Amino acid sequence: MSSSVFLRRSWLAENGALAALVVLVVALSLLSSDFLSVTNLLNVGVQAAVTAILAFGSTFVIVTGGIDLSVGSVAALSAIVLAWTASVAGLPWPLATVVSLAVGVACGLVNAALIAYGKLPPFIATLAMLGIARGLALVISQGSPIAMPDAVSHLGDTIGTYLPVPVVVMVVMGGIAAVILNRTYAGRAMYAIGGNEEAARLSGIKVSRQKLITYALSGGFAAVAGIVLASRLASAQPQAAAGYELDAIAAVVIGGASLSGGKGRALGTFVGALILAVLRNGLNLLSVSAFWQQVVIGVVIALAVLVDTLRRRGM
Amino acid sequence: MELLRAEGLRKRFPGVLALDGVDLTVRSGEVHVLLGENGAGKSTLIKMLSGAYHPDEGRVLLDGHPVHIRTAGDAQRLGIATIYQEFNLVPELSVAENLSLGRPPRRFGFVDTKRMHERAVELLARVGVDVDPRTPVSRLGIARMQMVEIAKALGLQARVLIMDEPTAVLTTGEVEKLFSIVRRLREQGVAIIFITHHLEEIAAIGDRVTVLRDGRSVAEVPADTPQDELVRLMVGRPIDQQFPRERGQAGEPLLKVTGLGRKGVFEDVSFEVRAGEVVGVAGLVGAGRTEVARAIFGADRYDTGEVTVRGRRPTPGDVHAAMEAGLGLVPEDRKGQGLVLGADIAENLGLVTLREATRAGFVDRKGQHQAAAEVAEQLGIRMTGLGQEVRTLSGGNQQKVVIGKWLEADAGVLILDEPTRGIDVGAKVEIYQLINALTASGHAVLMISSDLPEVLGMSDRILVMARGRLVGELSAAEATQDGVMALAVTEVEGPRVQ
């Protein structure tokens, strides 16, 4: 095998998701003349933003070998809390935002406490939180949408004529996730714990404490996603973001992370979220029915992981 | 009678010529030892015989007829069974169910439990092991699991039984038991291919030896060939000293353990380790040695007693506190507890120092990389680069990485639990030289080992544990294998610590 072939293969292997995204974009721009317009692409960005922000948070958890099923519910709860504290309780919006973020983080901490100290499997602990957070959102809102404070709703606007704020928030959160994963103690500990929890513990990493940080980050990111989603709609809805946790997990996995832990990158997750959004947008432009879209997206998820698995086995 | 013959086997993997002409002849009713350093091609060879790999060149004959072993199923049909170091048992199922795994006796479409049970009793009797077939495998110790594996192979009508380092996980007493089983199978006409790193086992159990070196079979010799000669054949150069311990003057006590106990596990363990000293801990598996080591290191709790490290008393059950006090542990289960297999060498070497290298939450990754490069150089880790996944390293180099992370952290007291288990002769000597270098620079080493020649050869003092208690201490000068074993099998007065 010549070295150039080897290099090309390993580049593809490392960036399989990115290659898939490029292929998808090229194919869609050939199939639909509307696809490659600035307006449409920014629209895709806005569509991707909420999923991507949730997925960045989920990346932390998945890198540690855990899973967080509660992020969609936590997003909805955080948004409801913001809207309620500002609009109903009359708190100033900056304070309401802080409270909202704190609620997201608190949900994550509860998850982590159940997992790290209660020894519940992450699937069960966060499944419980999925129900609890959604229920609390419904209780607080009494089942109806609450208007977001105007100042926060600007998050759904654009900067200048073009640049949507959700896209900016997505990129910033992605940058933060990348820095945390690559540069900080917390991030490096996540990889060690996901790679081999016992080896990490015997190397002096305080595993329980690091899990608290991990799930708290996931909760915090979910709160940001919830606020962005509510701003776009100008109101917080208790049923918002239902099922988004699965999209988030799909994005992380398409991006090359392994559910068994130890692997995953913020950039991969970003690409994974973009693939999902581009696919939905493209299928809409091609007038594929919403029912078929679900089938296509399911197939794409299976393919992405299948290719990854085959590649690993080949090595 | 010749049963199995391999001729001119060659196998190339991308970038490596794993086998470069291997011949092997095994007769029925013999124990044929396969000897070679890690990477010599033993694993590749047995994987070919068991259908996991296919040779690029060469052929395999059974009863004089060429056979093609393409899958594990082919090997099974031909009567070739392999017992790997990682057992193929389902822990949650009973012994009987495991023995009939995949082909349970049926009656009217349902599993015939009665017949399954009878079959198990019969197979276990053939092996000569006393286990209730209803016991879940997870409740058996490693030695008994291995015997169940052997019984399972017999149930598949194995004529050739390949055993990959079966003694690596056994204590001396258990090894004797295994040998008697192997002898019994030999009498029944089974051909046994036996892999071991323990040279003294060869004469004890083997009939003939095929030595592999760099992917080639270099010699076929009788099992009573002197050990020096075997080593020379294996490494292609004589190793003058298998245990090059350089003893120095012991200094201040760095680790002091007094009256350490945990209910039902160990009791009243007291000893100290001085700077510049290697203290060996011998004993049977299950004597409580690993448990004591883990308790000292804070990986597990203890109920009574005290641990003092360089004058400090780390909080019990707190690994981080033990580390801060200057302790390091190289655990017995290298892959399960020592390494993050999917991470690279630099990442693994920097695990312990990660906290120190962090400022305001941010890790100094450049500094970490630099430190890893230095340690890797110092230890002579053979790698393609610091970015290589540790999964792909040989056992010896993996162990160097585990030790290396404590060197990077400059741990003053190192606890090594079975530091050379499953490591080839050449790498073993490198680890011993590393231990010498550590003690020469004032470190203290506590070395648990089930390899008696190693304990005798490398320790300055030897502690012997039996049934959760310290039953004796011997100086290097007065210790003999017999003396240590006599202590290790001591029946402690009163019942076992429960």
Side-chain angles (χ1 to χ4, degrees):
Chain A
M1 191 190 297
S2 82
S3 70
S4 71
V5 172
F6 184 75
L7 274 180
R8 220 179 307 148
R9 276 186 51 164
S10 81
W11 183 87
L12 260 184
E14 287 298 316
N15 298 281
L18 193 55
L21 180 61
V22 171
V23 170
L24 205 55
V25 167
V26 171
L28 284 173
S29 37
L30 293 176
L31 288 169
S32 162
S33 52
D34 300 327
F35 178 76
L36 212 56
S37 68
V38 175
T39 330
N40 186 55
L41 287 185
L42 288 173
N43 188 26
V44 170
V46 173
Q47 298 293 338
V50 174
T51 309
I53 297 168
L54 288 174
F56 291 136
S58 291
T59 308
F60 301 129
V61 173
I62 287 173
V63 164
T64 64
I67 192 118
D68 191 344
L69 297 176
S70 68
V71 292
S73 297
V74 171
L77 175 62
S78 303
I80 288 286
V81 165
L82 198 167
W84 188 85
T85 45
S87 305
V88 181
L91 251 58
W93 70 266
L95 194 56
T97 308
V98 171
V99 172
S100 155
L101 290 174
V103 165
V105 169
C107 290
L109 288 175
V110 172
N111 280 334
L114 290 172
I115 293 160
Y117 302 108
K119 304 291 172 205
L120 288 189
F123 191 98
I124 304 298
T126 60
L127 182 65
M129 182 56 73
L130 176 145
I132 295 168
R134 180 70 63 191
L136 288 177
L138 287 161
V139 168
I140 294 170
S141 65
Q142 294 174 322
S144 319
I146 309 175
M148 287 291 273
D150 287 343
V152 180
S153 277
H154 288 312
L155 270 176
D157 295 350
T158 55
I159 299 174
T161 30
Y162 272 129
L163 193 57
V165 181
V167 173
V168 176
V169 176
M170 166 174 72
V171 171
V172 169
M173 295 307 279
I176 293 174
V179 168
I180 290 175
L181 284 169
N182 290 321
R183 297 262 163 252
T184 68
Y185 179 84
R188 299 323 296 171
M190 287 171 198
Y191 286 97
I193 291 169
N196 186 342
E197 187 165 326
E198 185 63 6
R201 189 170 82 91
L202 293 180
S203 298
I205 291 172
K206 295 179 176 171
V207 173
S208 297
R209 180 189 294 180
Q210 294 306 321
K211 281 189 179 168
L212 284 177
I213 295 173
T214 304
Y215 284 87
L217 279 169
S218 179
F221 274 60
V224 172
I227 296 169
V228 169
L229 180 60
S231 314
R232 258 177 51 208
L233 308 170
S235 75
Q237 305 188 357
Q239 294 289 13
Y244 278 33
E245 55 280 347
L246 299 182
D247 269 5
I249 293 166
V252 177
V253 170
I254 291 173
S258 156
L259 281 186
S260 52
K263 293 239 174 329
R265 290 161 67 205
L267 185 62
T269 296
F270 184 52
V271 171
L274 285 182
I275 285 179
L276 287 178
V278 165
L279 210 54
R280 287 217 170 91
N281 174 269
L283 294 171
N284 275 334
L285 290 180
L286 297 174
S287 321
V288 175
S289 89
F291 303 155
W292 276 110
Q293 289 190 19
Q294 299 203 24
V295 176
V296 172
I297 287 169
V299 169
V300 165
I301 293 170
L303 272 181
V305 182
L306 197 61
V307 167
D308 196 48
T309 312
L310 290 177
R311 177 176 67 80
R312 271 168 224 255
R313 211 185 303 161
M315 282 178 5
Chain B
M1 200 187 73
E2 179 182 311
L3 182 56
L4 177 111
R5 172 192 283 271
E7 289 176 348
L9 293 180
R10 273 200 173 71
K11 178 75 185 175
R12 179 181 288 281
F13 293 114
V16 203
L17 189 55
L19 284 195
D20 184 18
V22 167
D23 301 319
L24 176 71
T25 315
V26 187
R27 300 179 191 138
S28 58
E30 83 161 337
V31 177
H32 196 106
V33 178
L34 215 49
L35 188 64
E37 293 192 82
N38 286 349
K42 298 181 309 263
S43 303
T44 312
L45 176 58
I46 63 171
K47 281 185 178 161
M48 270 177 194
L49 296 179
S50 55
Y53 294 158
H54 319 292
D56 297 337
E57 279 177 50
R59 58 180 191 160
V60 177
L61 296 97
L62 199 68
D63 293 322
H65 305 296
V67 291
H68 295 283
I69 312 170
R70 292 208 179 76
T71 63
D74 288 348
Q76 208 179 87
R77 271 188 293 282
L78 292 166
I80 302 174
T82 307
I83 297 175
Y84 292 101
Q85 282 167 280
E86 281 86 26
F87 300 143
N88 281 313
L89 298 172
V90 184
E92 293 79 14
L93 297 185
S94 72
V95 169
E97 284 168 309
N98 269 284
L99 289 177
S100 290
L101 208 61
R103 27 164 218 112
R106 278 170 222 256
R107 209 162 159 245
F108 310 126
F110 293 98
V111 173
D112 183 348
T113 29
K114 191 159 158 260
R115 210 140 63 79
M116 185 168 79
H117 197 267
E118 285 163 6
R119 192 198 269 176
V121 169
E122 183 195 311
L123 287 172
L124 293 169
R126 239 186 108 187
V127 176
V129 53
D130 179 29
V131 178
D132 183 343
R134 285 165 300 199
T135 321
V137 163
S138 59
R139 287 226 219 110
L140 303 178
I142 282 192
R144 288 179 158 215
M145 283 191 201
Q146 191 176 57
M147 288 165 194
V148 172
E149 274 270 16
I150 296 174
K152 194 172 138 197
L154 294 181
L156 295 167
Q157 263 81 49
R159 303 164 66 204
V160 180
L161 182 62
I162 304 171
M163 307 181 81
D164 189 5
E165 287 193 54
T167 58
V169 290
L170 302 182
T171 60
T172 314
E174 292 165 347
V175 168
E176 263 319 307
K177 176 91 179 139
L178 173 72
F179 282 2
S180 68
I181 291 171
V182 169
R183 286 190 197 104
R184 185 197 287 240
L185 296 179
R186 174 166 62 185
E187 277 156 28
Q188 294 168 10
V190 179
I192 293 148
I193 299 176
F194 195 95
I195 297 178
T196 181
H197 281 304
H198 296 280
L199 298 176
E200 68 279 3
E201 288 172 8
I202 293 173
I205 189 67
D207 296 306
R208 290 187 303 155
V209 182
T210 292
V211 184
L212 298 187
R213 185 169 77 223
D214 302 330
R216 264 174 251 204
S217 44
V218 292
E220 190 194 87
V221 293
D224 54 7
T225 307
Q227 290 190 14
D228 306 354
E229 175 65 8
L230 290 174
V231 170
R232 195 190 58 74
L233 287 169
M234 196 169 32
V235 299
R237 58 177 192 278
I239 291 185
D240 304 333
Q241 253 189 310
Q242 270 194 60
F243 303 106
R245 174 74 184 135
E246 292 152 13
R247 295 191 169 88
Q249 201 66 40
E252 287 294 297
L254 293 188
L255 171 67
K256 246 174 127 166
V257 176
T258 31
L260 207 65
R262 188 165 88 219
K263 227 167 170 254
V265 186
F266 53 85
E267 200 172 76
D268 196 23
V269 175
S270 305
F271 63 90
E272 56 180 41
V273 187
R274 295 165 176 275
E277 202 179 30
V278 177
V279 174
V281 187
L284 305 180
V285 167
R289 297 172 302 165
T290 296
E291 290 76 5
V292 168
R294 287 177 57 93
I296 294 172
F297 184 64
D300 296 325
R301 303 200 150 270
Y302 49 87
D303 303 323
T304 56
E306 269 169 15
V307 173
T308 315
V309 188
R310 295 201 282 204
R312 289 164 65 178
R313 292 226 183 104
T315 326
D318 183 347
V319 171
H320 199 253
M323 267 173 50
E324 301 251 283
L327 272 174
L329 172 73
V330 174
E332 96 187 293
D333 178 3
R334 185 159 59 232
K335 291 180 181 170
Q337 304 180 339
L339 294 166
V340 182
L341 286 173
D344 64 24
I345 295 172
E347 195 81 11
N348 272 282
L349 284 173
L351 266 189
V352 179
T353 51
L354 197 58
R355 176 61 74 187
E356 283 167 47
T358 302
R359 293 275 171 281
F362 287 87
V363 177
D364 172 16
R365 294 198 75 184
K366 217 182 253 173
Q368 283 282 82
H369 201 82
Q370 183 72 34
E374 280 164 22
V375 169
E377 161 96 40
Q378 185 192 340
L379 294 176
I381 296 172
R382 277 179 284 281
M383 56 183 185
T384 57
L386 286 172
Q388 188 180 349
E389 269 191 27
V390 294
R391 188 194 306 284
T392 61
L393 292 175
S394 72
N397 282 303
Q398 285 184 343
Q399 188 69 314
K400 286 186 200 168
V401 172
V402 184
I403 298 176
K405 71 180 180 184
W406 293 109
L407 289 191
E408 230 187 278
D410 199 25
V413 183
L414 269 184
I415 306 174
L416 309 176
D417 195 354
E418 304 288 0
T420 65
R421 173 179 287 176
I423 289 178
D424 66 62
V425 175
K428 270 187 184 177
V429 174
E430 286 182 77
I431 302 254
Y432 298 146
Q433 276 157 352
L434 189 62
I435 293 175
N436 281 334
L438 281 169
T439 49
S441 63
H443 292 70
V445 172
L446 182 69
M447 182 180 76
I448 297 170
S449 172
S450 296
D451 183 338
L452 269 184
E454 170 175 289
V455 174
L456 294 173
M458 286 306 295
S459 311
D460 301 330
R461 282 187 295 132
I462 297 160
L463 307 173
V464 186
M465 280 193 73
R467 301 186 170 234
R469 290 170 208 236
L470 217 49
V471 290
E473 181 181 330
L474 301 163
S475 72
E478 65 185 347
T480 61
Q481 295 210 23
D482 295 349
V484 171
M485 273 321 293
L487 281 170
V489 298
T490 325
E491 289 292 326
V492 178
E493 277 175 46
R496 185 198 194 294
V497 182
Q498 279 299 339

